[in-house]
Amino acid sequence: MLTNIRNVYCVGRNYKLHAEELGNAVPDEPMIFMKPSHAVVALDGEWLELPASKGEVHYEAELVIRIGQDYKPGVPVDELVDAYAFGIDFTLRDVQTVIKKKGHPWTAAKGFKNSAPITAFQTFPGAATLQEKDFTLTKNGVQVQRGNIINMIFSLQDIVDYVGHHYGLGPGDIIFTGTPEGVGATMAGDVLELAWAGETLGACTIKAAE
């Protein structure tokens, strides 16, 4: 269920090859931005409306973790996190390019409605288990992204410690942990499917918002 979601934290540039494909420097500490909780919707196989009139909309597949207790320094991530899912951090890339040049916040490019669809949450099996298999995103049946959290620049423990220390973490907060290389544009009619270990966990069909 997607009820009772509080803060939606997101980690940018957390895979080296993704940073390089966009021509960005690799960060030396986690790059955190946020989305409104209203951006979160279910990847339940239904239509998903996106604002295509604002330029290219890019998909970014990611592991999403849900916090189950108040953050305290020294608590292992396997105790702090109670569930996981996979999601897509949709980005208005043309908008982002403009606001980055102006030095403006990323909200307009990252926080629009339906920009954070996620699969159903499942019990967190531990970070080590999630490293055993890859997650994938397919577009119209063709794989466009494949990732494994073992390749993240900042581990899940690094992420929760950084966010918890600087911003706070508590039950109901979720974190999009970053996307691997292969991001690209989507358009009306595209069917996107998220899978882990070869099992499809969520899907949607893109619809242009009026």
Side-chain angles (χ1 to χ4, degrees):
M1 296 180 64
L2 301 183
T3 57
N4 301 320
I5 289 176
R6 299 200 312 172
N7 297 301
V8 183
Y9 295 102
C10 306
V11 185
R13 306 178 192 174
N14 200 25
Y15 288 76
K16 184 174 183 291
L17 293 180
H18 169 58
E20 291 176 349
E21 75 178 345
L22 296 184
N24 295 318
V26 176
D28 55 11
E29 64 180 25
M31 178 182 293
I32 307 299
F33 61 93
M34 299 186 71
K35 290 176 180 271
S37 58
H38 299 291
V40 181
V41 291
L43 269 173
D44 55 6
E46 300 298 323
W47 292 93
L48 185 73
E49 289 193 349
L50 297 175
S53 63
K54 295 186 178 181
E56 284 197 349
V57 183
H58 281 205
Y59 50 77
E60 300 185 12
E62 314 195 6
L63 169 72
V64 181
I65 55 176
R66 187 179 70 191
I67 305 302
Q69 60 179 283
D70 289 331
Y71 174 79
K72 295 179 181 178
V75 176
V77 66
D78 287 359
E79 294 181 18
L80 187 68
V81 174
D82 69 352
Y84 77 101
F86 292 92
I88 304 175
D89 165 19
F90 281 113
T91 304
L92 295 174
R93 192 68 74 198
D94 294 338
V95 173
Q96 186 186 41
T97 298
V98 171
I99 61 181
K100 282 169 63 177
K101 289 179 179 178
K102 294 181 177 179
H104 292 176
W106 287 13
T107 306
K110 291 285 195 177
F112 54 94
K113 292 180 180 178
N114 298 338
S115 64
I118 58 177
T119 66
F121 280 106
Q122 301 184 56
T123 301
F124 190 68
T129 297
L130 289 178
Q131 293 177 356
E132 294 176 357
K133 305 279 179 62
D134 295 349
F135 63 92
T136 59
L137 177 70
T138 61
K139 183 174 76 169
N140 303 325
V142 178
Q143 181 180 295
V144 289
Q145 286 189 278
R146 175 179 288 272
N148 189 307
I149 64 169
I150 200 170
N151 295 319
M152 295 195 306
I153 297 170
F154 304 103
S155 70
L156 296 183
Q157 188 69 57
D158 293 335
I159 292 168
V160 297
D161 284 339
Y162 186 90
V163 175
H165 174 74
H166 290 278
Y167 308 110
L169 280 173
D173 292 341
I174 65 173
I175 305 176
F176 280 68
T177 59
T179 193
E181 71 276 10
V183 303
T186 188
M187 60 185 64
D190 284 345
V191 177
L192 302 178
E193 294 183 314
L194 272 172
W196 183 66
E199 178 185 357
T200 297
L201 300 178
C204 67
T205 301
I206 303 302
K207 179 180 180 181
E210 298 179 358

